[in-house]
Amino acid sequence: MAKNKIIIDTDPGIDDILALLLAFAASPEEVEVALISLTFGNIEVQSCLRNVVSMLHILEREMEWRKKQGRPEGFETLRTHKPVIAVGAQQPLDDQKMLADYFHGKDGLGGIHFTHPHLTPGESWEHLFDPISDPEVLPKVGPSPSKSHQSFIPSKLPAADEILRVLKENEENTVTIVAVGPLTNLALAAAKDAETFLRVKEVVVMGGTIDKPGNVTPVGEFNSYADAVAAARVFALTSPKPESTLPPSKRLPAYPATLSKTLTLKLFPLDFTSQHDLIRGDFDRTITPLLQSGSPLAEWVDAFMAHVFQTLERLHPGHEGAKASLTLHDPVCVWYAMTSGDTRWKPTPTSPEDIRIETVGQWTRGMCVVDRRNRHKVEDDVESHSDHGLWLSSRAGNRIIRMGGSPGGETFGMLLLKKIFE
């Protein structure tokens, strides 16, 4: 039995795909991927589906190639536990939709489906995910194994419903959600059934920035910006009084007045993830001999990584040639989920922190707001002229655990390559 059972909620682009490859390259004892729930974000959600199916298609070819080469097939987690794949949110709850295709390419993988069509499966499998319109025929226990593909089980249910199904079918506090895209699917699941959602062991969120500049606005990180209302609603579940930080929403209701517990949420903001890079020189040295020997996975990854390194060189000073580096925002979250028992993973000394997501500011949408005032906490919930928003109340506000230390950010890029390609 896997030590860590996880749901990966994702919008596969480039670093999301690297995160998924890392998870599937683990041993079955390290991790089991129970569900891949897809959301809009870097690209449209249907393109996310094509990228995940393409990845699994390439992994099937890679394992066959390795077998013929007399090498270990690898990707034992994938061969041991087929993940369910579910298509989720196509747009944010209330905000105007914004994508990150300027960085990831229109298809999310640097145009690979057009430049390397032989690496994309001829059939997209989209028909396997067509939603069920008749409630009378909805499956009661999730996807039917008879409809499974060689490497995955397609679901016709929305991703939010699949998240709740997995949490219901497993013991409380045994499933971790690793959320590396906008939090829309999680917000929808929590709005539908907050108590079932709170059965989760913890939610690991790649999002936000505290002291570093944002990557989509001066103060906004992409995932928190892409659906600020969803992020704020999920963050509110960490509060003893969720209504104290719950944002207004046109689509979703307030949470029940009384909940059985608070959510454990571990935040991986840009301040922390930016310490974990993959250097182009290291990547090229690893990938070149594999390309020469005919690895399908090496060819596929090299194609989209060439795009991302060129984009980094174009957008950011100091990323020329072999010095270009891709920050591994999403893979570090999966790495944590695989190795959370390692004592070198450490929260910031100030955790848990009352971190809130701005949802209505003209220039500050998606901003992580923290109280930097040097004030004493108070033991009541009475708002005063000096504490609008209950920031100082010891009984209100969010309780976010912000990560500050890992087993070795400077070596993570090479660890990722070794896990995936050896």
Side-chain angles (χ1 to χ4, degrees):
M1 179 179 176
K3 183 168 59 175
N4 302 297
K5 183 173 286 192
I6 65 174
I7 294 168
I8 302 179
D9 190 75
T10 178
D11 55 338
I14 288 166
D15 56 334
D16 304 72
I17 288 292
L18 293 176
L20 289 166
L21 288 173
L22 176 62
F24 289 131
S27 72
E29 292 74 33
E30 285 180 301
V31 72
E32 175 187 340
V33 182
L35 170 66
I36 300 172
S37 53
L38 300 174
T39 178
F40 82 96
N42 290 320
I43 47 174
E44 300 286 359
V45 72
Q46 288 300 323
S47 293
C48 293
L49 175 60
R50 177 169 62 171
N51 290 345
V52 169
V53 172
S54 294
M55 176 194 70
L56 295 170
H57 166 75
I58 288 295
L59 288 180
E60 291 166 15
R61 291 177 54 184
E62 175 72 7
M63 288 185 282
E64 184 62 28
W65 174 79
R66 290 183 184 185
K67 189 175 180 180
K68 289 179 179 177
Q69 294 283 313
R71 304 184 184 192
E73 292 178 58
F75 303 100
E76 290 182 58
T77 291
L78 179 60
R79 289 187 283 123
T80 305
H81 304 288
K82 286 187 197 178
V84 175
I85 299 177
V87 179
Q90 299 183 40
Q91 59 189 11
L93 295 179
D94 294 319
D95 298 319
Q96 181 180 359
K97 181 159 68 174
M98 174 184 175
L99 305 175
D101 49 9
Y102 68 92
F103 183 84
H104 295 267
K106 289 292 183 184
D107 65 353
L109 292 177
I112 193 171
H113 300 296
F114 307 104
T115 60
H116 296 70
H118 62 290
L119 298 178
T120 299
E123 185 178 2
S124 69
W125 304 98
E126 288 182 2
H127 65 286
L128 297 177
F129 298 86
D130 289 339
I132 298 172
S133 57
D134 184 356
E136 296 300 319
V137 296
L138 287 175
K140 292 182 171 55
V141 290
S144 168
S146 64
K147 298 292 185 182
S148 65
H149 176 258
Q150 181 176 339
S151 299
F152 64 89
I153 303 171
S155 174
K156 293 179 180 292
L157 297 179
D161 289 348
E162 282 293 352
I163 290 171
L164 294 173
R165 179 190 63 79
V166 172
L167 294 174
K168 282 178 184 175
E169 292 181 359
N170 288 274
E171 291 184 25
E172 189 171 357
N173 298 322
T174 61
V175 177
T176 294
I177 299 176
V178 182
V180 292
L183 296 182
T184 317
N185 286 335
L186 277 65
L188 290 168
K192 187 169 187 177
D193 187 344
E195 286 295 349
T196 295
F197 186 79
L198 290 172
R199 290 172 60 86
V200 71
K201 178 181 177 182
E202 60 185 8
V203 174
V204 176
V205 173
M206 192 284 119
T209 183
I210 309 301
D211 296 314
K212 280 188 170 290
N215 58 5
V216 67
T217 72
V219 295
E221 177 275 332
F222 177 80
N223 289 337
S224 60
Y225 181 93
D227 196 340
V229 171
R233 286 185 64 93
V234 174
F235 279 35
L237 286 170
T238 69
S239 174
K241 294 185 65 174
E243 68 271 20
S244 67
T245 65
L246 196 67
S249 173
K250 301 169 188 172
R251 288 182 54 189
L252 300 182
Y255 295 125
T258 304
L259 292 170
S260 61
K261 59 188 288 193
T262 58
L263 176 69
T264 298
L265 189 152
K266 293 188 177 170
L267 185 66
F268 286 62
L270 295 182
D271 314 63
F272 181 61
T273 57
S274 61
Q275 302 169 27
H276 304 78
D277 289 339
L278 174 58
I279 310 299
R280 184 173 195 169
D282 292 337
F283 176 79
D284 288 343
R285 281 189 293 274
T286 301
I287 212 80
T288 299
L290 293 169
L291 288 170
Q292 293 170 346
S293 26
S295 160
L297 180 61
E299 183 184 5
W300 190 65
V301 173
D302 183 63
F304 64 72
M305 288 297 289
H307 162 84
V308 79
F309 285 131
Q310 289 167 6
T311 302
L312 287 164
E313 190 166 349
R314 174 170 53 84
L315 293 177
H316 300 288
H319 282 268
E320 295 81 16
K323 295 185 296 182
S325 62
L326 173 67
T327 301
L328 300 171
H329 301 293
D330 297 346
V332 74
C333 296
V334 168
W335 184 33
Y336 166 79
M338 292 165 50
T339 62
S340 58
D342 191 320
T343 57
R344 291 174 292 177
W345 290 106
K346 295 186 182 299
T348 58
T350 51
S351 289
E353 300 172 68
D354 186 359
I355 300 173
R356 308 186 193 183
I357 302 293
E358 175 58 55
T359 61
V360 296
Q362 181 179 3
W363 308 116
T364 55
R365 168 179 155 187
M367 178 183 181
C368 286
V369 181
V370 296
D371 189 352
R372 302 183 190 277
R373 299 173 296 176
N374 184 22
R375 302 279 186 90
H376 288 295
K377 288 286 186 183
V378 295
E379 292 299 323
D380 58 63
D381 295 339
V382 179
E383 291 195 44
S384 69
H385 67 278
S386 63
D387 186 29
H388 178 66
L390 297 178
W391 287 91
L392 300 176
S393 171
S394 60
R395 302 178 187 178
N398 294 334
R399 305 286 192 272
I400 305 296
I401 301 170
R402 177 158 62 104
M403 299 306 292
S406 74
E410 69 282 353
T411 60
F412 178 51
M414 286 304 298
L415 181 149
L416 176 82
L417 294 174
K418 185 174 180 180
K419 273 275 192 185
I420 294 173
F421 289 109
E422 290 186 6

